[in-house]
PDB file of all heavy atoms in Angstrom:
ATOM      1  N   PHE A  74     -17.945  -0.284 -28.102  1.00 97.00           N
ATOM      2  CA  PHE A  74     -19.199  -0.929 -27.713  1.00 97.00           C
ATOM      3  C   PHE A  74     -19.897  -1.534 -28.926  1.00 97.00           C
ATOM      4  O   PHE A  74     -20.529  -2.597 -28.821  1.00 97.00           O
ATOM      5  CB  PHE A  74     -20.116   0.068 -26.993  1.00 97.00           C
ATOM      6  CG  PHE A  74     -19.874   0.139 -25.517  1.00 97.00           C
ATOM      7  CD1 PHE A  74     -19.235   1.231 -24.952  1.00 97.00           C
ATOM      8  CD2 PHE A  74     -20.254  -0.906 -24.684  1.00 97.00           C
ATOM      9  CE1 PHE A  74     -18.991   1.292 -23.588  1.00 97.00           C
ATOM     10  CE2 PHE A  74     -20.018  -0.856 -23.317  1.00 97.00           C
ATOM     11  CZ  PHE A  74     -19.376   0.246 -22.776  1.00 97.00           C
ATOM     12  N   ASN A  75     -19.779  -0.880 -30.067  1.00 97.00           N
ATOM     13  CA  ASN A  75     -20.400  -1.451 -31.261  1.00 97.00           C
ATOM     14  C   ASN A  75     -19.726  -2.764 -31.660  1.00 97.00           C
ATOM     15  O   ASN A  75     -20.398  -3.747 -31.988  1.00 97.00           O
ATOM     16  CB  ASN A  75     -20.343  -0.441 -32.411  1.00 97.00           C
ATOM     17  CG  ASN A  75     -21.336   0.696 -32.210  1.00 97.00           C
ATOM     18  OD1 ASN A  75     -22.370   0.517 -31.567  1.00 97.00           O
ATOM     19  ND2 ASN A  75     -21.022   1.863 -32.746  1.00 97.00           N
ATOM     20  N   ILE A  76     -18.397  -2.774 -31.629  1.00 97.00           N
ATOM     21  CA  ILE A  76     -17.693  -4.018 -31.954  1.00 97.00           C
ATOM     22  C   ILE A  76     -18.064  -5.101 -30.951  1.00 97.00           C
ATOM     23  O   ILE A  76     -18.377  -6.238 -31.317  1.00 97.00           O
ATOM     24  CB  ILE A  76     -16.166  -3.782 -31.954  1.00 97.00           C
ATOM     25  CG1 ILE A  76     -15.787  -2.734 -32.989  1.00 97.00           C
ATOM     26  CG2 ILE A  76     -15.430  -5.086 -32.220  1.00 97.00           C
ATOM     27  CD1 ILE A  76     -14.307  -2.377 -32.951  1.00 97.00           C
ATOM     28  N   LEU A  77     -18.035  -4.731 -29.661  1.00 97.00           N
ATOM     29  CA  LEU A  77     -18.327  -5.711 -28.620  1.00 97.00           C
ATOM     30  C   LEU A  77     -19.730  -6.285 -28.792  1.00 97.00           C
ATOM     31  O   LEU A  77     -19.942  -7.504 -28.681  1.00 97.00           O
ATOM     32  CB  LEU A  77     -18.180  -5.050 -27.244  1.00 97.00           C
ATOM     33  CG  LEU A  77     -18.549  -5.910 -26.031  1.00 97.00           C
ATOM     34  CD1 LEU A  77     -17.696  -7.167 -25.983  1.00 97.00           C
ATOM     35  CD2 LEU A  77     -18.367  -5.121 -24.745  1.00 97.00           C
ATOM     36  N   ALA A  78     -20.690  -5.410 -29.078  1.00 96.00           N
ATOM     37  CA  ALA A  78     -22.061  -5.887 -29.247  1.00 96.00           C
ATOM     38  C   ALA A  78     -22.152  -6.853 -30.419  1.00 96.00           C
ATOM     39  O   ALA A  78     -22.771  -7.909 -30.332  1.00 96.00           O
ATOM     40  CB  ALA A  78     -23.006  -4.700 -29.454  1.00 96.00           C
ATOM     41  N   SER A  79     -21.502  -6.514 -31.525  1.00 95.00           N
ATOM     42  CA  SER A  79     -21.634  -7.362 -32.707  1.00 95.00           C
ATOM     43  C   SER A  79     -20.933  -8.700 -32.511  1.00 95.00           C
ATOM     44  O   SER A  79     -21.320  -9.699 -33.103  1.00 95.00           O
ATOM     45  CB  SER A  79     -21.073  -6.641 -33.933  1.00 95.00           C
ATOM     46  OG  SER A  79     -19.659  -6.636 -33.890  1.00 95.00           O
ATOM     47  N   GLU A  80     -19.908  -8.740 -31.665  1.00 94.00           N
ATOM     48  CA  GLU A  80     -19.146  -9.987 -31.519  1.00 94.00           C
ATOM     49  C   GLU A  80     -19.660 -10.859 -30.380  1.00 94.00           C
ATOM     50  O   GLU A  80     -19.456 -12.072 -30.406  1.00 94.00           O
ATOM     51  CB  GLU A  80     -17.658  -9.669 -31.307  1.00 94.00           C
ATOM     52  CG  GLU A  80     -17.005  -9.101 -32.556  1.00 94.00           C
ATOM     53  CD  GLU A  80     -15.500  -8.962 -32.408  1.00 94.00           C
ATOM     54  OE1 GLU A  80     -14.985  -9.245 -31.321  1.00 94.00           O
ATOM     55  OE2 GLU A  80     -14.849  -8.571 -33.402  1.00 94.00           O
ATOM     56  N   SER A  81     -20.272 -10.248 -29.365  1.00 91.00           N
ATOM     57  CA  SER A  81     -20.662 -11.058 -28.204  1.00 91.00           C
ATOM     58  C   SER A  81     -22.158 -11.365 -28.195  1.00 91.00           C
ATOM     59  O   SER A  81     -22.608 -12.124 -27.346  1.00 91.00           O
ATOM     60  CB  SER A  81     -20.271 -10.342 -26.911  1.00 91.00           C
ATOM     61  OG  SER A  81     -21.133  -9.251 -26.677  1.00 91.00           O
ATOM     62  N   ASP A  82     -22.906 -10.802 -29.137  1.00 88.00           N
ATOM     63  CA  ASP A  82     -24.340 -11.092 -29.171  1.00 88.00           C
ATOM     64  C   ASP A  82     -24.567 -12.348 -30.011  1.00 88.00           C
ATOM     65  O   ASP A  82     -25.205 -12.314 -31.062  1.00 88.00           O
ATOM     66  CB  ASP A  82     -25.119  -9.911 -29.733  1.00 88.00           C
ATOM     67  CG  ASP A  82     -26.607 -10.053 -29.454  1.00 88.00           C
ATOM     68  OD1 ASP A  82     -26.978 -10.997 -28.725  1.00 88.00           O
ATOM     69  OD2 ASP A  82     -27.380  -9.236 -29.971  1.00 88.00           O
ATOM     70  N   THR A  83     -24.049 -13.457 -29.494  1.00 86.00           N
ATOM     71  CA  THR A  83     -24.192 -14.729 -30.196  1.00 86.00           C
ATOM     72  C   THR A  83     -25.614 -15.248 -30.035  1.00 86.00           C
ATOM     73  O   THR A  83     -26.326 -14.882 -29.108  1.00 86.00           O
ATOM     74  CB  THR A  83     -23.209 -15.749 -29.610  1.00 86.00           C
ATOM     75  OG1 THR A  83     -23.362 -15.764 -28.194  1.00 86.00           O
ATOM     76  CG2 THR A  83     -21.777 -15.362 -29.940  1.00 86.00           C
ATOM     77  N   THR A  84     -26.018 -16.111 -30.952  1.00 87.00           N
ATOM     78  CA  THR A  84     -27.394 -16.643 -30.883  1.00 87.00           C
ATOM     79  C   THR A  84     -27.371 -18.142 -31.107  1.00 87.00           C
ATOM     80  O   THR A  84     -27.882 -18.640 -32.107  1.00 87.00           O
ATOM     81  CB  THR A  84     -28.291 -15.973 -31.940  1.00 87.00           C
ATOM     82  OG1 THR A  84     -27.629 -16.066 -33.216  1.00 87.00           O
ATOM     83  CG2 THR A  84     -28.559 -14.529 -31.603  1.00 87.00           C
ATOM     84  N   LEU A  85     -26.740 -18.851 -30.176  1.00 90.00           N
ATOM     85  CA  LEU A  85     -26.769 -20.313 -30.240  1.00 90.00           C
ATOM     86  C   LEU A  85     -28.121 -20.804 -29.733  1.00 90.00           C
ATOM     87  O   LEU A  85     -28.855 -20.075 -29.059  1.00 90.00           O
ATOM     88  CB  LEU A  85     -25.637 -20.883 -29.385  1.00 90.00           C
ATOM     89  CG  LEU A  85     -24.219 -20.454 -29.796  1.00 90.00           C
ATOM     90  CD1 LEU A  85     -23.190 -21.073 -28.861  1.00 90.00           C
ATOM     91  CD2 LEU A  85     -23.942 -20.837 -31.235  1.00 90.00           C
ATOM     92  N   ASN A  86     -28.437 -22.034 -30.062  1.00 90.00           N
ATOM     93  CA  ASN A  86     -29.731 -22.571 -29.650  1.00 90.00           C
ATOM     94  C   ASN A  86     -29.794 -22.758 -28.146  1.00 90.00           C
ATOM     95  O   ASN A  86     -30.719 -22.295 -27.495  1.00 90.00           O
ATOM     96  CB  ASN A  86     -29.990 -23.902 -30.371  1.00 90.00           C
ATOM     97  CG  ASN A  86     -30.383 -23.666 -31.816  1.00 90.00           C
ATOM     98  OD1 ASN A  86     -30.851 -22.575 -32.161  1.00 90.00           O
ATOM     99  ND2 ASN A  86     -30.188 -24.651 -32.657  1.00 90.00           N
ATOM    100  N   ASP A  87     -28.785 -23.419 -27.591  1.00 94.00           N
ATOM    101  CA  ASP A  87     -28.751 -23.633 -26.142  1.00 94.00           C
ATOM    102  C   ASP A  87     -28.393 -22.317 -25.457  1.00 94.00           C
ATOM    103  O   ASP A  87     -27.302 -21.794 -25.651  1.00 94.00           O
ATOM    104  CB  ASP A  87     -27.718 -24.715 -25.829  1.00 94.00           C
ATOM    105  CG  ASP A  87     -27.631 -25.005 -24.332  1.00 94.00           C
ATOM    106  OD1 ASP A  87     -28.266 -24.268 -23.555  1.00 94.00           O
ATOM    107  OD2 ASP A  87     -26.934 -25.949 -23.951  1.00 94.00           O
ATOM    108  N   PRO A  88     -29.289 -21.754 -24.659  1.00 94.00           N
ATOM    109  CA  PRO A  88     -29.006 -20.437 -24.058  1.00 94.00           C
ATOM    110  C   PRO A  88     -27.802 -20.461 -23.114  1.00 94.00           C
ATOM    111  O   PRO A  88     -27.094 -19.454 -22.996  1.00 94.00           O
ATOM    112  CB  PRO A  88     -30.297 -20.106 -23.301  1.00 94.00           C
ATOM    113  CG  PRO A  88     -31.002 -21.403 -23.133  1.00 94.00           C
ATOM    114  CD  PRO A  88     -30.614 -22.253 -24.298  1.00 94.00           C
ATOM    115  N   ARG A  89     -27.551 -21.599 -22.462  1.00 95.00           N
ATOM    116  CA  ARG A  89     -26.384 -21.664 -21.580  1.00 95.00           C
ATOM    117  C   ARG A  89     -25.095 -21.650 -22.397  1.00 95.00           C
ATOM    118  O   ARG A  89     -24.153 -20.930 -22.061  1.00 95.00           O
ATOM    119  CB  ARG A  89     -26.448 -22.936 -20.720  1.00 95.00           C
ATOM    120  CG  ARG A  89     -25.398 -22.957 -19.629  1.00 95.00           C
ATOM    121  CD  ARG A  89     -25.456 -24.249 -18.818  1.00 95.00           C
ATOM    122  NE  ARG A  89     -24.443 -24.268 -17.777  1.00 95.00           N
ATOM    123  CZ  ARG A  89     -23.172 -24.559 -17.981  1.00 95.00           C
ATOM    124  NH1 ARG A  89     -22.754 -24.844 -19.199  1.00 95.00           N
ATOM    125  NH2 ARG A  89     -22.312 -24.533 -16.974  1.00 95.00           N
ATOM    126  N   GLU A  90     -25.072 -22.420 -23.479  1.00 95.00           N
ATOM    127  CA  GLU A  90     -23.912 -22.391 -24.370  1.00 95.00           C
ATOM    128  C   GLU A  90     -23.742 -20.992 -24.943  1.00 95.00           C
ATOM    129  O   GLU A  90     -22.618 -20.519 -25.161  1.00 95.00           O
ATOM    130  CB  GLU A  90     -24.097 -23.403 -25.508  1.00 95.00           C
ATOM    131  CG  GLU A  90     -23.949 -24.861 -25.083  1.00 95.00           C
ATOM    132  CD  GLU A  90     -22.545 -25.153 -24.554  1.00 95.00           C
ATOM    133  OE1 GLU A  90     -21.584 -24.589 -25.090  1.00 95.00           O
ATOM    134  OE2 GLU A  90     -22.427 -25.921 -23.567  1.00 95.00           O
ATOM    135  N   ASN A  91     -24.855 -20.347 -25.186  1.00 95.00           N
ATOM    136  CA  ASN A  91     -24.834 -18.996 -25.719  1.00 95.00           C
ATOM    137  C   ASN A  91     -24.125 -18.043 -24.753  1.00 95.00           C
ATOM    138  O   ASN A  91     -23.302 -17.217 -25.150  1.00 95.00           O
ATOM    139  CB  ASN A  91     -26.269 -18.529 -25.955  1.00 95.00           C
ATOM    140  CG  ASN A  91     -26.317 -17.372 -26.933  1.00 95.00           C
ATOM    141  OD1 ASN A  91     -25.508 -17.320 -27.867  1.00 95.00           O
ATOM    142  ND2 ASN A  91     -27.241 -16.461 -26.722  1.00 95.00           N
ATOM    143  N   LEU A  92     -24.427 -18.214 -23.473  1.00 95.00           N
ATOM    144  CA  LEU A  92     -23.815 -17.359 -22.457  1.00 95.00           C
ATOM    145  C   LEU A  92     -22.316 -17.629 -22.364  1.00 95.00           C
ATOM    146  O   LEU A  92     -21.505 -16.695 -22.257  1.00 95.00           O
ATOM    147  CB  LEU A  92     -24.486 -17.637 -21.110  1.00 95.00           C
ATOM    148  CG  LEU A  92     -24.764 -16.448 -20.185  1.00 95.00           C
ATOM    149  CD1 LEU A  92     -25.399 -15.323 -20.945  1.00 95.00           C
ATOM    150  CD2 LEU A  92     -25.648 -16.888 -19.035  1.00 95.00           C
ATOM    151  N   LEU A  93     -21.929 -18.893 -22.430  1.00 96.00           N
ATOM    152  CA  LEU A  93     -20.510 -19.247 -22.405  1.00 96.00           C
ATOM    153  C   LEU A  93     -19.789 -18.660 -23.619  1.00 96.00           C
ATOM    154  O   LEU A  93     -18.706 -18.073 -23.496  1.00 96.00           O
ATOM    155  CB  LEU A  93     -20.361 -20.775 -22.401  1.00 96.00           C
ATOM    156  CG  LEU A  93     -20.155 -21.443 -21.051  1.00 96.00           C
ATOM    157  CD1 LEU A  93     -20.098 -22.956 -21.217  1.00 96.00           C
ATOM    158  CD2 LEU A  93     -18.859 -20.951 -20.425  1.00 96.00           C
ATOM    159  N   ALA A  94     -20.419 -18.804 -24.776  1.00 96.00           N
ATOM    160  CA  ALA A  94     -19.797 -18.287 -25.994  1.00 96.00           C
ATOM    161  C   ALA A  94     -19.685 -16.767 -25.942  1.00 96.00           C
ATOM    162  O   ALA A  94     -18.665 -16.191 -26.333  1.00 96.00           O
ATOM    163  CB  ALA A  94     -20.608 -18.716 -27.212  1.00 96.00           C
ATOM    164  N   GLY A  95     -20.725 -16.115 -25.411  1.00 96.00           N
ATOM    165  CA  GLY A  95     -20.677 -14.658 -25.281  1.00 96.00           C
ATOM    166  C   GLY A  95     -19.569 -14.213 -24.349  1.00 96.00           C
ATOM    167  O   GLY A  95     -18.873 -13.227 -24.618  1.00 96.00           O
ATOM    168  N   SER A  96     -19.384 -14.942 -23.248  1.00 97.00           N
ATOM    169  CA  SER A  96     -18.305 -14.602 -22.320  1.00 97.00           C
ATOM    170  C   SER A  96     -16.952 -14.743 -22.991  1.00 97.00           C
ATOM    171  O   SER A  96     -16.066 -13.886 -22.829  1.00 97.00           O
ATOM    172  CB  SER A  96     -18.368 -15.524 -21.096  1.00 97.00           C
ATOM    173  OG  SER A  96     -19.617 -15.398 -20.455  1.00 97.00           O
ATOM    174  N   GLY A  97     -16.798 -15.838 -23.750  1.00 97.00           N
ATOM    175  CA  GLY A  97     -15.532 -16.022 -24.466  1.00 97.00           C
ATOM    176  C   GLY A  97     -15.302 -14.910 -25.483  1.00 97.00           C
ATOM    177  O   GLY A  97     -14.185 -14.409 -25.634  1.00 97.00           O
TER     178      GLY A  97
END
Side-chain angles (χ1 to χ4, degrees):
Chain A
F74 272 106
N75 286 332
I76 300 175
L77 176 59
S79 75
E80 291 188 357
S81 73
D82 194 7
T83 51
T84 51
L85 300 179
N86 284 338
D87 180 353
R89 189 182 180 280
E90 287 298 323
N91 200 34
L92 219 47
L93 263 177
S96 301

